[in-house]
Amino acid sequence: AALLPRAARGLTDRLYCGRRVCYEVLGVSRQASKAEIARAYRQLARQYHPDRYRGEPAGGGGGGAQAAHEKFLLIAAAYETLKDEETRKDYDYMLDHPEEYYRHYYHYYSRRLAPKVDVTIVILVTVCAISVFQFFSWWSSYNEAINYLATVPKYRIQATEIARQQGLLNKTKEKGKNRRSKEEIREEEEEIIKDIIKNKIDIKGGYQKPKIYDILLFQILLAPFYWCKYVVWYCWWIYCFTIKGQEYGVEEKLYIIRRYMKMSQSQFDSLEDHQKETFLERQLWIRENYEVYKREQEEELKKKMAMDPRWKRYRRWMKNEGPGRLTFIDD
């Protein structure tokens, strides 16, 4: 009697085996091992499986094929509940604590609706896919920038002159057996010019040459290193310039100016050198000087917009026509 399953109260439909005790469905005790549960399931499954049922009374109580099918579904539900250690632990807890109604619902549906694939694997695959797309997208933008610069006369003439000085263009015009068509020679010369532009021009900003350490995957992997590096740098900044009161160097001044302008490192690096020299000459790392510079830039922008004919036409259109009106005026 001690080995028989204890009668459970509070069993509900839609949870595990419904109003039936899963141990009773399989005919095993609560102390049964996984092997005993699997053996009992196989025996009952062979007896009640719809493909093996041949019209004999289902379970000795009649009912035919439909009853056998429902019995098989109940057996399968009982086995699914008891074969997993975690699910079996939750089920045993429900049998011992039937009063905790909402807890049982939570544990049951949280396990049923949990993703079958490990979330860590999903996140890793997603990050890798984004990183690959990011890297090839950057390469595409970089190649577009190189192709554009190769069409600009200023850079093309300089690159062609460098190629002639290095004797690269003469190699393309070979005679004899190695003689090639004009189209092949033109394509090779174009590639030589683009290679020289790549080596001589430092493209910054959104079209700069992609680096593998800038993709999302490496940024996540190196995040602890960057965080520790920032903490060390911040402590050094506080010690040198706040505690000891040292004067700012050129790099520190440019860093403060960049923070005032709310620009990223790549955006600030894309500025011309003479612009940075102007920032240093005007001592924009001092907050008051930067505020004056900012107001001057705003006033200059207003003047340019006021003198711009396109802006004048836009203001005139806003005054006379305004948005939301249908008009046939092309301008």
Side-chain angles (χ1 to χ4, degrees), residues 35-83:
E36 294 174 342
I37 292 174
R39 192 182 307 112
Y41 166 73
R42 286 193 295 268
Q43 292 176 356
L44 293 173
R46 283 194 295 267
Q47 181 179 355
Y48 294 102
H49 196 281
D51 295 339
R52 291 178 173 270
Y53 182 72
R54 292 295 181 267
E56 60 270 28
Q66 183 63 28
H69 179 69
E70 294 177 358
K71 180 71 174 179
F72 177 77
L73 293 179
L74 183 61
I75 293 169
Y79 178 66
E80 290 294 326
T81 301
L82 301 180
K83 74 175 184 177

Side-chain angles (χ1 to χ4, degrees), residues 14 18 34 70 98 163 188 191 227 229 245-246:
R14 302 188 306 274
K34 294 180 66 173
E70 294 177 358
E188 186 172 348
E191 291 299 325
W227 185 82
K229 183 179 178 181
Q246 296 181 2

Side-chain angles (χ1 to χ4, degrees), residues 89-100:
K89 186 185 299 183
D90 292 339
Y91 183 70
D92 290 341
Y93 187 86
M94 186 186 75
L95 296 179
D96 297 333
H97 304 84
E99 70 281 356
E100 299 183 18

Side-chain angles (χ1 to χ4, degrees), residues 127 215-224:
V127 170
I215 64 176
L216 179 62
L217 178 61
F218 280 93
Q219 289 292 313
I220 294 175
L221 295 177
L222 297 176

Side-chain angles (χ1 to χ4, degrees), residues 97-209:
H97 304 84
E99 70 281 356
E100 299 183 18
Y101 184 80
Y102 296 104
R103 177 189 175 94
H104 306 323
Y105 261 96
Y106 168 75
H107 283 288
Y108 177 77
Y109 284 105
S110 64
R111 294 193 182 279
R112 279 184 66 92
L113 301 177
K116 303 302 181 183
V117 182
D118 190 1
V119 178
T120 306
I121 298 177
V122 175
I123 294 175
L124 181 60
V125 172
T126 304
V127 170
C128 291
I130 294 174
S131 301
V132 171
F133 174 79
Q134 189 180 37
F135 186 74
F136 283 102
S137 176
W138 283 350
W139 263 113
S140 177
S141 300
Y142 176 71
N143 290 328
E144 287 180 5
I146 295 298
N147 293 334
Y148 169 75
L149 293 175
T151 61
V152 177
K154 172 183 176 182
Y155 301 111
R156 188 176 185 84
I157 293 173
Q158 294 179 2
T160 304
E161 189 65 28
I162 293 173
R164 285 173 181 168
Q165 293 175 1
Q166 296 178 357
L168 299 176
L169 296 181
N170 297 331
K171 296 179 181 180
T172 61
K173 301 177 181 179
E174 298 176 348
K175 298 180 179 180
K177 295 181 180 180
N178 298 327
R179 188 175 181 180
R180 289 164 295 175
S181 64
K182 293 183 179 180
E183 186 66 25
E184 292 176 345
I185 294 174
R186 190 181 301 109
E187 291 178 358
E188 186 172 348
E189 289 180 351
E190 191 71 20
E191 291 299 325
I192 292 173
I193 292 173
K194 290 180 181 179
D195 290 337
I196 293 175
I197 292 176
K198 289 179 182 179
N199 297 327
K200 296 297 181 180
I201 296 182
D202 184 17
I203 303 176
K204 298 179 180 179
Y207 292 92
Q208 65 183 357
K209 188 175 182 179

